């Protein structure tokens, strides 16, 4: 299934000069920032994530897989689509895709695995209750 078909959230971003590397296209590290910005915008639109997590807990990225498909340049508009790919007992996978707005050409896609942790112990906690409901709505 195409990742954008069931996208829970889409955000548009314009490539600026400071996003570029010496070759004149978006630096690979900037894509990670774009993906993070889109995730925060998505979560903020749906709910107050800090109230869902509670005191002493956090949602932490533990794995990132990214494939770069096509370079993006200055002035281009990027659409970043985000959705939950899978919810497991103690982790969830967020799938994100970046594409050129003008042509719908894929630029990059990523799978980000996150866990819900107790900040005191650093141990993964079960994804359940209100947090599970929140993630289910995003899938």
């Amino acid at each position: 299934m195409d990742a954008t078909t069931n996208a829970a959230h889409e955000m548009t971003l314009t490539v600026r000069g400071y996003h570029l590397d010496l070759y004149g296209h978006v630096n690979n590290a900037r894509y990670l920032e774009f993906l993070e910005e889109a995730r925060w915008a998505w979560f903020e639109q749906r709910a107050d994530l800090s109230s869902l997590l509670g005191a002493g807990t956090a949602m932490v990225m533990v794995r990132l897989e990214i494939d770069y498909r096509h370079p993006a340049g200055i002035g281009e508009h990027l659409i970043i689509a985000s959705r939950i790919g899978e919810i497991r007992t103690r982790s969830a996978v967020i799938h994100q895709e970046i594409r050129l707005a003008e042509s719908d050409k894929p630029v990059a896609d990523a799978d980000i695995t996150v866990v819900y942790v107790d900040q005191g112990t650093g141990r993964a906690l079960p994804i359940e209750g209100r947090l599970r409901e929140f993630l289910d709505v995003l899938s």
Side-chain angles (χ1 to χ4, degrees):
M1 176 183 301
D2 180 62
T4 59
T5 303
N6 291 327
H9 184 266
E10 286 192 350
M11 181 185 110
T12 303
L13 182 139
T14 302
V15 175
R16 307 286 184 210
Y18 64 90
H19 295 140
L20 307 180
D21 59 19
L22 294 174
Y23 301 106
H25 52 67
V26 174
N27 180 282
N28 65 316
R30 291 291 185 165
Y31 288 112
L32 304 180
E33 294 173 358
F34 296 169
L35 294 169
E36 185 171 22
E37 177 67 27
R39 285 192 307 276
W40 276 103
W42 179 33
F43 291 155
E44 288 170 348
Q45 179 187 34
R46 296 297 182 138
D48 177 10
L49 191 57
S50 62
S51 72
L52 284 172
L53 297 177
T57 61
M59 189 73 75
V60 178
M61 181 192 319
V62 294
R63 181 175 173 84
L64 167 69
E65 295 178 64
I66 187 167
D67 291 309
Y68 300 98
R69 308 287 184 193
H70 180 77
I74 194 165
E76 291 186 301
H77 303 319
L78 305 178
I79 296 172
I80 305 166
S82 306
R83 67 175 176 86
I84 297 293
E86 181 181 1
I87 301 172
R88 303 172 185 147
T89 305
R90 294 185 185 268
S91 66
V93 178
I94 300 169
H95 182 77
Q96 291 183 280
E97 183 178 282
I98 302 172
R99 62 189 193 278
L100 295 175
E102 293 80 7
S103 66
D104 212 36
K105 186 171 195 156
V107 172
D109 55 82
D111 285 316
I112 295 99
T113 303
V114 296
V115 296
Y116 177 50
V117 299
D118 178 309
Q119 290 179 310
T121 65
R123 298 186 69 163
L125 299 170
I127 296 176
E128 55 190 20
R130 287 181 50 221
L131 181 59
R132 176 67 186 226
E133 292 169 10
F134 171 73
L135 294 174
D136 280 337
V137 168
L138 297 177
S139 6

